[in-house]
mmCIF file of all heavy atoms in Angstrom:
data_model
loop_
_atom_site.group_PDB
_atom_site.id
_atom_site.type_symbol
_atom_site.label_atom_id
_atom_site.label_comp_id
_atom_site.label_asym_id
_atom_site.label_seq_id
_atom_site.Cartn_x
_atom_site.Cartn_y
_atom_site.Cartn_z
ATOM 1 N N ALA O 1 10.238 1.157 4.944
ATOM 2 C CA ALA O 1 11.658 0.792 4.908
ATOM 3 C C ALA O 1 12.142 0.694 3.465
ATOM 4 O O ALA O 1 13.238 1.161 3.123
ATOM 5 C CB ALA O 1 11.883 -0.529 5.642
ATOM 6 N N GLY O 2 11.333 0.088 2.616
ATOM 7 C CA GLY O 2 11.697 0.002 1.205
ATOM 8 C C GLY O 2 11.747 1.367 0.544
ATOM 9 O O GLY O 2 12.670 1.666 -0.227
ATOM 10 N N LEU O 3 10.782 2.218 0.863
ATOM 11 C CA LEU O 3 10.763 3.563 0.290
ATOM 12 C C LEU O 3 11.971 4.365 0.756
ATOM 13 O O LEU O 3 12.625 5.056 -0.043
ATOM 14 C CB LEU O 3 9.456 4.267 0.672
ATOM 15 C CG LEU O 3 9.307 5.732 0.260
ATOM 16 C CD1 LEU O 3 9.558 5.932 -1.227
ATOM 17 C CD2 LEU O 3 7.919 6.246 0.641
ATOM 18 N N ARG O 4 12.289 4.284 2.032
ATOM 19 C CA ARG O 4 13.448 5.022 2.550
ATOM 20 C C ARG O 4 14.730 4.565 1.861
ATOM 21 O O ARG O 4 15.601 5.382 1.555
ATOM 22 C CB ARG O 4 13.550 4.837 4.057
ATOM 23 C CG ARG O 4 12.455 5.543 4.853
ATOM 24 C CD ARG O 4 12.473 5.155 6.311
ATOM 25 N NE ARG O 4 13.725 5.551 6.950
ATOM 26 C CZ ARG O 4 14.143 5.053 8.110
ATOM 27 N NH1 ARG O 4 13.426 4.111 8.738
ATOM 28 N NH2 ARG O 4 15.261 5.482 8.637
ATOM 29 N N SER O 5 14.837 3.275 1.591
ATOM 30 C CA SER O 5 16.052 2.772 0.950
ATOM 31 C C SER O 5 16.183 3.254 -0.489
ATOM 32 O O SER O 5 17.294 3.249 -1.047
ATOM 33 C CB SER O 5 16.075 1.240 0.987
ATOM 34 O OG SER O 5 15.144 0.693 0.056
ATOM 35 N N ARG O 6 15.072 3.666 -1.099
ATOM 36 C CA ARG O 6 15.085 4.099 -2.501
ATOM 37 C C ARG O 6 15.034 5.617 -2.652
ATOM 38 O O ARG O 6 14.931 6.108 -3.782
ATOM 39 C CB ARG O 6 13.904 3.469 -3.241
ATOM 40 C CG ARG O 6 13.883 1.942 -3.237
ATOM 41 C CD ARG O 6 15.064 1.355 -4.008
ATOM 42 N NE ARG O 6 14.981 -0.108 -4.075
ATOM 43 C CZ ARG O 6 15.842 -0.880 -4.723
ATOM 44 N NH1 ARG O 6 16.869 -0.325 -5.351
ATOM 45 N NH2 ARG O 6 15.695 -2.196 -4.734
ATOM 46 N N LEU O 7 15.119 6.361 -1.560
ATOM 47 C CA LEU O 7 15.127 7.813 -1.677
ATOM 48 C C LEU O 7 16.278 8.322 -2.547
ATOM 49 O O LEU O 7 16.084 9.265 -3.340
ATOM 50 C CB LEU O 7 15.172 8.465 -0.294
ATOM 51 C CG LEU O 7 13.870 8.422 0.521
ATOM 52 C CD1 LEU O 7 14.091 9.028 1.900
ATOM 53 C CD2 LEU O 7 12.739 9.142 -0.200
ATOM 54 N N PRO O 8 17.486 7.748 -2.459
ATOM 55 C CA PRO O 8 18.541 8.210 -3.373
ATOM 56 C C PRO O 8 18.176 8.032 -4.842
ATOM 57 O O PRO O 8 18.513 8.885 -5.670
ATOM 58 C CB PRO O 8 19.747 7.346 -2.973
ATOM 59 C CG PRO O 8 19.498 6.987 -1.546
ATOM 60 C CD PRO O 8 18.015 6.803 -1.447
ATOM 61 N N TYR O 9 17.495 6.950 -5.171
ATOM 62 C CA TYR O 9 17.045 6.737 -6.546
ATOM 63 C C TYR O 9 16.098 7.851 -6.980
ATOM 64 O O TYR O 9 16.231 8.412 -8.083
ATOM 65 C CB TYR O 9 16.359 5.382 -6.658
ATOM 66 C CG TYR O 9 15.525 5.199 -7.906
ATOM 67 C CD1 TYR O 9 16.120 4.892 -9.123
ATOM 68 C CD2 TYR O 9 14.140 5.336 -7.873
ATOM 69 C CE1 TYR O 9 15.358 4.722 -10.279
ATOM 70 C CE2 TYR O 9 13.367 5.170 -9.011
ATOM 71 C CZ TYR O 9 13.986 4.864 -10.212
ATOM 72 O OH TYR O 9 13.217 4.708 -11.348
ATOM 73 N N LEU O 10 15.151 8.203 -6.106
ATOM 74 C CA LEU O 10 14.163 9.219 -6.460
ATOM 75 C C LEU O 10 14.797 10.597 -6.557
ATOM 76 O O LEU O 10 14.459 11.392 -7.444
ATOM 77 C CB LEU O 10 13.032 9.205 -5.434
ATOM 78 C CG LEU O 10 12.191 7.927 -5.441
ATOM 79 C CD1 LEU O 10 11.312 7.851 -4.199
ATOM 80 C CD2 LEU O 10 11.341 7.838 -6.697
ATOM 81 N N ALA O 11 15.721 10.899 -5.663
ATOM 82 C CA ALA O 11 16.407 12.184 -5.738
ATOM 83 C C ALA O 11 17.217 12.285 -7.028
ATOM 84 O O ALA O 11 17.219 13.321 -7.707
ATOM 85 C CB ALA O 11 17.296 12.373 -4.517
ATOM 86 N N ALA O 12 17.896 11.189 -7.387
ATOM 87 C CA ALA O 12 18.699 11.190 -8.611
ATOM 88 C C ALA O 12 17.832 11.222 -9.868
ATOM 89 O O ALA O 12 18.273 11.701 -10.918
ATOM 90 C CB ALA O 12 19.615 9.961 -8.637
ATOM 91 N N LEU O 13 16.594 10.726 -9.774
ATOM 92 C CA LEU O 13 15.688 10.776 -10.920
ATOM 93 C C LEU O 13 15.425 12.218 -11.331
ATOM 94 O O LEU O 13 15.250 12.515 -12.510
ATOM 95 C CB LEU O 13 14.379 10.059 -10.572
ATOM 96 C CG LEU O 13 13.296 9.987 -11.647
ATOM 97 C CD1 LEU O 13 13.794 9.234 -12.876
ATOM 98 C CD2 LEU O 13 12.030 9.335 -11.085
ATOM 99 N N GLY O 14 15.404 13.125 -10.354
ATOM 100 C CA GLY O 14 15.227 14.531 -10.659
ATOM 101 C C GLY O 14 13.871 15.103 -10.312
ATOM 102 O O GLY O 14 13.559 16.230 -10.718
ATOM 103 N N VAL O 15 13.057 14.355 -9.561
ATOM 104 C CA VAL O 15 11.764 14.893 -9.154
ATOM 105 C C VAL O 15 11.954 15.822 -7.954
ATOM 106 O O VAL O 15 12.976 15.789 -7.271
ATOM 107 C CB VAL O 15 10.770 13.770 -8.811
ATOM 108 C CG1 VAL O 15 10.460 12.941 -10.048
ATOM 109 C CG2 VAL O 15 11.290 12.873 -7.691
ATOM 110 N N ASP O 16 10.952 16.662 -7.720
ATOM 111 C CA ASP O 16 11.016 17.636 -6.636
ATOM 112 C C ASP O 16 10.346 17.151 -5.358
ATOM 113 O O ASP O 16 10.545 17.751 -4.297
ATOM 114 C CB ASP O 16 10.358 18.944 -7.076
ATOM 115 C CG ASP O 16 11.066 19.553 -8.270
ATOM 116 O OD1 ASP O 16 12.253 19.868 -8.156
ATOM 117 O OD2 ASP O 16 10.423 19.685 -9.339
ATOM 118 N N GLY O 17 9.543 16.123 -5.460
ATOM 119 C CA GLY O 17 8.858 15.648 -4.273
ATOM 120 C C GLY O 17 8.086 14.378 -4.551
ATOM 121 O O GLY O 17 8.010 13.898 -5.697
ATOM 122 N N LEU O 18 7.492 13.847 -3.489
ATOM 123 C CA LEU O 18 6.732 12.603 -3.556
ATOM 124 C C LEU O 18 5.306 12.846 -3.089
ATOM 125 O O LEU O 18 5.072 13.540 -2.097
ATOM 126 C CB LEU O 18 7.364 11.530 -2.658
ATOM 127 C CG LEU O 18 8.870 11.305 -2.777
ATOM 128 C CD1 LEU O 18 9.300 10.213 -1.799
ATOM 129 C CD2 LEU O 18 9.258 10.952 -4.199
ATOM 130 N N TRP O 19 4.366 12.273 -3.825
ATOM 131 C CA TRP O 19 2.998 12.133 -3.319
ATOM 132 C C TRP O 19 2.867 10.674 -2.907
ATOM 133 O O TRP O 19 3.006 9.777 -3.737
ATOM 134 C CB TRP O 19 1.981 12.531 -4.391
ATOM 135 C CG TRP O 19 0.645 11.854 -4.251
ATOM 136 C CD1 TRP O 19 0.019 11.477 -3.100
ATOM 137 C CD2 TRP O 19 -0.235 11.456 -5.320
ATOM 138 N NE1 TRP O 19 -1.191 10.881 -3.375
ATOM 139 C CE2 TRP O 19 -1.371 10.853 -4.723
ATOM 140 C CE3 TRP O 19 -0.170 11.567 -6.697
ATOM 141 C CZ2 TRP O 19 -2.429 10.350 -5.480
ATOM 142 C CZ3 TRP O 19 -1.228 11.070 -7.452
ATOM 143 C CH2 TRP O 19 -2.351 10.478 -6.852
ATOM 144 N N ILE O 20 2.596 10.463 -1.629
ATOM 145 C CA ILE O 20 2.505 9.107 -1.090
ATOM 146 C C ILE O 20 1.033 8.736 -0.930
ATOM 147 O O ILE O 20 0.296 9.372 -0.171
ATOM 148 C CB ILE O 20 3.245 8.990 0.252
ATOM 149 C CG1 ILE O 20 4.710 9.409 0.073
ATOM 150 C CG2 ILE O 20 3.161 7.566 0.786
ATOM 151 C CD1 ILE O 20 5.513 9.402 1.368
ATOM 152 N N SER O 21 0.597 7.709 -1.652
ATOM 153 C CA SER O 21 -0.765 7.205 -1.509
ATOM 154 C C SER O 21 -0.975 6.707 -0.085
ATOM 155 O O SER O 21 -0.019 6.496 0.658
ATOM 156 C CB SER O 21 -1.018 6.095 -2.530
ATOM 157 O OG SER O 21 -1.044 6.621 -3.841
ATOM 158 N N PRO O 22 -2.223 6.500 0.339
ATOM 159 C CA PRO O 22 -2.496 6.293 1.761
ATOM 160 C C PRO O 22 -1.606 5.253 2.434
ATOM 161 O O PRO O 22 -1.486 4.128 1.961
ATOM 162 C CB PRO O 22 -3.960 5.851 1.767
ATOM 163 C CG PRO O 22 -4.550 6.564 0.601
ATOM 164 C CD PRO O 22 -3.473 6.514 -0.450
ATOM 165 N N TRP O 23 -1.035 5.670 3.550
ATOM 166 C CA TRP O 23 -0.184 4.794 4.361
ATOM 167 C C TRP O 23 -0.807 4.528 5.720
ATOM 168 O O TRP O 23 -0.202 3.942 6.587
ATOM 169 C CB TRP O 23 1.202 5.395 4.507
ATOM 170 C CG TRP O 23 1.291 6.808 5.060
ATOM 171 C CD1 TRP O 23 0.280 7.573 5.596
ATOM 172 C CD2 TRP O 23 2.472 7.610 5.130
ATOM 173 N NE1 TRP O 23 0.752 8.801 5.977
ATOM 174 C CE2 TRP O 23 2.093 8.860 5.710
ATOM 175 C CE3 TRP O 23 3.799 7.415 4.784
ATOM 176 C CZ2 TRP O 23 3.014 9.891 5.939
ATOM 177 C CZ3 TRP O 23 4.704 8.442 5.009
ATOM 178 C CH2 TRP O 23 4.321 9.663 5.581
ATOM 179 N N TYR O 24 -2.049 4.963 5.899
ATOM 180 C CA TYR O 24 -2.709 4.889 7.193
ATOM 181 C C TYR O 24 -3.176 3.461 7.519
ATOM 182 O O TYR O 24 -3.248 2.590 6.645
ATOM 183 C CB TYR O 24 -3.924 5.816 7.205
ATOM 184 C CG TYR O 24 -3.659 7.198 6.675
ATOM 185 C CD1 TYR O 24 -4.145 7.585 5.421
ATOM 186 C CD2 TYR O 24 -2.919 8.118 7.401
ATOM 187 C CE1 TYR O 24 -3.911 8.852 4.921
ATOM 188 C CE2 TYR O 24 -2.677 9.397 6.902
ATOM 189 C CZ TYR O 24 -3.163 9.754 5.659
ATOM 190 O OH TYR O 24 -2.921 11.004 5.165
#
């Protein structure tokens, strides 16, 4: 939920994608 809320921040930062450490 926190990550989803910050997706606009990451998109605006200018990166092309995310590597997400284990969420399992």
Side-chain angles (χ1 to χ4, degrees):
L3 175 53
R4 290 171 63 197
S5 74
R6 301 295 184 177
L7 286 176
Y9 164 79
L10 294 167
L13 181 61
V15 295
D16 299 299
L18 311 180
W19 153 33
I20 303 177
S21 291
W23 55 8
Y24 313 107

